[in-house]
Amino acid sequence: MMLNIGCHLSATKGYRAMGEEALKIGANVFQFFTRNPRGGKAKEVVPEDAKALLQIAEENEFAAMIAHAPYTLNPCSTDKRIREFTKMVIAEDLEVMEHFPNNFYNFHPGNHLKQGVTVGIQYIIDMLNAVLKPEQTTTVLLETMAGKGTEIGRTFEELRQIIDGVILSDKVGVCFDTCHVYDAGYDIVNDLDGVLEEFDQIIGLERLYLIHLNDSKNTLASRKDRHAKIGEGLIGKEAIIRIINHPKLCRLPFCLETPNDLAGYEEEIKMLRVAYQGSYE
Ligand code: FE
Ligand code: FE
Ligand code: ZN
């Protein structure tokens, strides 16, 4: 089996262009922002463009397409208008994603802004209960967060609490960001097995759909969230290679969000494909 890996791509030239770009750099996974990261208007989906991407994805056995919500959304803002705007954007984005059935929509759970984790989590639950639909084929992913400021999602327990409150919880999964998890204080360098066991006990590995593969510029438990290129941070190349080869992770899609241009991504993808030993079947 081949490693399912890719990276974040720019969506400005459309869907087909992203598929072609992914192919060019040896990726069979890619992620993009549904609209500009500041949360501008959604772009109209051109049906032929969407179809062209679906065809590329099928012919080349793409493992996953991930739409990433804009960073500026906050489902647990103190400002009702921002909460409502977030709900509207995510509902709209989920509609767009149905052009690409059975893929993923990833978002940062939110910042509680001193309202406290409990209040914040309830707002996130309310938002998900308002936007999720029984007929949708997209799985919505809560991303594990570094715990910068008042970010929710630093601990596996917080993500579990969100999932527990969602009625259509089979539509909800988790994206494990290696930089964030490390910055949050989970030692994936010296105790990957232990961290995965904890994840399994609290959330359940069956909820894990995606890995954001990043090195970190900061130390364990720094709560900083600064991504580094693979091998140029404190997680290091060896630990990253253990992650892609771990029997509990090796079949998942991996998406790089390292500070790279396309050539840099191509190189990282190539290096990781060489380091991949195949899944243990
Ligand atoms: Fe993210
Ligand atoms: Fe991420
Ligand atoms: Zn990050």
Side-chain angles (χ1 to χ4, degrees):
M1 187 190 162
M2 91 172 155
L3 175 63
N4 294 315
I5 190 161
C7 62
H8 194 94
L9 295 176
S10 160
T12 51
K13 291 194 205 113
Y15 293 110
R16 175 211 293 262
M18 280 193 285
E20 285 168 349
E21 205 160 73
L23 284 182
K24 217 170 67 192
I25 59 171
N28 69 328
V29 168
F30 70 91
Q31 174 176 278
F32 60 99
F33 284 122
T34 51
R35 49 191 87 204
N36 85 48
R38 304 203 158 265
K41 262 187 83 182
K43 267 200 307 191
E44 199 76 50
V45 180
V46 181
E48 302 81 67
D49 188 34
K51 256 174 80 187
L53 171 57
L54 281 175
Q55 194 174 338
I56 292 171
E58 192 176 330
E59 285 171 3
N60 297 281
E61 297 181 40
F62 280 16
M65 268 174 56
I66 308 110
H68 196 305
Y71 286 135
T72 43
L73 299 185
N74 187 8
C76 49
S77 172
T78 46
D79 184 338
K80 185 164 188 219
R81 284 166 309 177
I82 294 178
R83 295 199 303 272
E84 290 301 318
F85 176 73
T86 298
K87 206 181 286 181
M88 184 203 78
V89 166
I90 293 183
E92 235 176 65
D93 284 353
L94 286 176
E95 246 170 72
V96 169
M97 281 309 285
E98 290 304 306
H99 284 94
F100 311 100
N102 304 308
N103 281 293
F104 302 102
Y105 185 75
N106 179 79
F107 79 106
H108 297 180
N111 292 284
H112 66 72
L113 306 172
K114 308 214 167 87
Q115 300 171 98
V117 176
T118 313
V119 173
I121 285 179
Q122 192 54 51
Y123 278 134
I124 298 164
I125 291 170
D126 293 344
M127 181 279 287
L128 286 168
N129 282 334
V131 301
L132 296 178
K133 298 215 168 84
E135 66 273 18
Q136 79 180 50
T137 67
T138 304
T139 301
V140 173
L141 304 179
L142 302 163
E143 183 164 347
T144 55
M145 300 309 291
K148 201 171 37 160
T150 65
E151 269 174 0
I152 291 180
R154 181 181 61 85
T155 66
F156 299 157
E157 284 83 356
E158 288 175 4
L159 297 178
R160 174 79 247 175
Q161 281 176 46
I162 297 170
I163 295 166
D164 280 342
V166 176
I167 297 162
L168 296 172
S169 64
D170 61 317
K171 309 289 182 196
V172 180
V174 172
C175 163
F176 185 105
D177 185 306
T178 55
C179 166
H180 298 180
V181 162
Y182 187 69
D183 287 17
Y186 293 99
D187 193 355
I188 52 174
V189 176
N190 298 300
D191 188 21
L192 179 59
D193 280 325
V195 173
L196 293 177
E197 219 165 274
E198 195 174 337
F199 186 99
D200 196 26
Q201 272 169 19
I202 295 165
I203 299 176
L205 280 167
E206 71 283 356
R207 295 262 184 202
L208 179 55
Y209 288 94
L210 173 68
I211 308 278
H212 277 168
L213 198 63
N214 302 307
D215 211 326
S216 173
K217 289 198 167 136
N218 293 100
T219 51
L220 180 70
S222 61
R223 301 208 190 174
K224 285 272 175 44
D225 191 2
R226 297 280 311 282
H227 300 191
K229 293 184 190 183
I230 304 301
E232 293 187 9
L234 283 121
I235 297 175
K237 190 168 156 180
E238 273 177 43
I240 299 272
I241 288 173
R242 281 197 298 273
I243 290 168
I244 61 169
N245 283 303
H246 193 285
K248 289 185 172 150
L249 306 176
C250 61
R251 293 173 197 82
L252 290 171
F254 294 89
C255 184
L256 297 159
E257 298 174 313
T258 45
N260 268 310
D261 54 15
L262 271 186
Y265 277 134
E266 183 172 13
E267 222 172 279
E268 284 189 347
I269 290 168
K270 202 177 288 166
M271 181 274 285
L272 292 163
R273 287 202 186 284
V274 170
Y276 188 61
Q277 287 153 7
S279 67
Y280 306 80
E281 272 157 329

